[in-house]
Amino acid sequence: MPVLGLGTWTMTDELAAQVIPVAAQLGYRMVDTAAFYQNERGVGQGIRRSGLTREEFFITSKVNGRDHGLDRAIRGCEQTLARLGTDYLDLYLIHWPMPMRDLYVDTWRACIRLVEEGYVKSIGVSNFLPRHLDRIIGETGLIPAVNQIQLHPRIVQWESRAYAEKHGIVVQSWSPLGQGGTLLAEPVVQAVAGRYSKSTAQVVLRWHLEQGLVPIPKSSDRGRLAANLDVFDFHLADDEIKEISGLNGTEQPMNPETFEQD
Ligand SMILES: NC(=O)c1ccc[n+]([C@@H]2O[C@H](COP(=O)([O-])OP(=O)(O)OC[C@H]3O[C@@H](n4cnc5c(N)ncnc54)[C@H](OP(=O)(O)O)[C@@H]3O)[C@@H](O)[C@H]2O)c1
């Protein structure tokens, strides 16, 4: 799996079909979509328009809330594949655990079956807390390859990261730039950016990479797409990582215990 990917949340089909060839030309090879984003058709179109082969891309999609359950998740994956116009996914994630519905273990069983049947190369989860992970691992014996969680310097997710490290789970960071908001204007991030002549977004992406986290920043702008990939020519010192992590707690994460996705 590439160490950095392209997010697509909020892109329409039309926009995704335009942006992905540009991103591919710049060097992006991993694309993150979801049934919930309603842009899988555009993502598929963009990949075909890029002129690269299917095998050169790493495509992630996710099980929608309404598709939880054994049979529904399998049908949901078939529909995702049809919309993308491909016959396999590189990574398929359960988008949210939605513990109130209590169907995430069956949904995980469906994911296991999808791997066995060749529709999906690897499987993981998103927004799972350690207690949800304990349950799927305990009931199926299979550890997810990835947990994609809300993670940036204001929400550092120590507990989920420690769990992931212990179990060999790769952590992907969603909203790695804090959605491009005031995180990027934080004085501590600005100070580090000045030291390396990099932008604050580049410093925040480097903060993820230095810690083995896989960020999937979204941009629809050629300049920002290029900048977000231009983060492999500098390193942050340990004390700079620590300083930036001091922002932890200044934003509340979404709550996977209560979040319901249609
Ligand atoms: N699993 C989940 O539950 C979940 C939830 C949310 C998101 N995700 C995934 O994670 C991806 C990333 O998260 P996100 O889209 O919420 O937030 P993000 O990547 O942290 O930020 C995206 C925002 O930042 C702006 N931006 C991008 N690069 C920038 C730069 N270099 N400088 C300044 N602004 C910049 C973008 O605007 P422009 O487009 O105008 O550049 C956009 O408004 C999503 O697209 C989606 O694929 C997953």
Side-chain angles (χ1 to χ4, degrees), residues 1 5 16-17 32 35 42 53 63 127-128 156 188 193 197 208 219 245 251:
M1 186 173 82
D32 181 85
T53 63
V63 184
N127 301 300
F128 272 47
V156 306
V188 59
S197 301
H208 290 274
S219 182
S245 304
E251 185 181 326

Side-chain angles (χ1 to χ4, degrees), residues 6-10 32-33 37 62 95-96 126-127 148 173-181 184 199 201-202 216-221 224 227-228:
L6 175 68
T8 66
W9 182 52
T10 72
D32 181 85
T33 182
Y37 301 167
K62 314 188 192 82
H95 206 149
W96 286 89
S126 178
N127 301 300
Q148 183 185 110
S173 308
W174 68 255
S175 292
L177 299 172
Q179 301 191 328
L184 302 183
S199 71
Q202 289 171 321
I216 45 169
K218 173 261 166 189
S219 182
S220 310
D221 172 82
R224 286 187 288 278
N228 293 348

Side-chain angles (χ1 to χ4, degrees), residues 40-97:
E40 291 172 314
R41 275 181 221 287
V43 168
Q45 221 179 343
I47 287 170
R48 285 187 295 281
R49 275 190 198 168
S50 74
L52 297 176
T53 63
R54 165 66 185 91
E55 289 70 33
E56 287 174 278
F57 274 95
F58 187 101
I59 308 179
T60 304
S61 192
K62 314 188 192 82
V63 184
N64 207 353
R66 70 178 62 147
D67 290 331
H68 272 222
L70 192 55
D71 295 336
R72 293 180 84 133
I74 292 194
R75 206 175 60 230
C77 184
E78 285 167 358
Q79 290 167 347
T80 277
L81 291 171
R83 283 189 294 265
L84 284 162
T86 181
D87 54 6
Y88 73 95
L89 292 172
D90 295 279
L91 179 63
Y92 198 39
L93 308 177
I94 303 178
H95 206 149
W96 286 89

Side-chain angles (χ1 to χ4, degrees), residues 105-118:
V105 179
D106 275 351
T107 309
W108 184 239
R109 289 190 206 285
C111 291
I112 294 170
R113 195 180 294 173
L114 287 163
V115 175
E116 287 165 356
E117 293 178 0

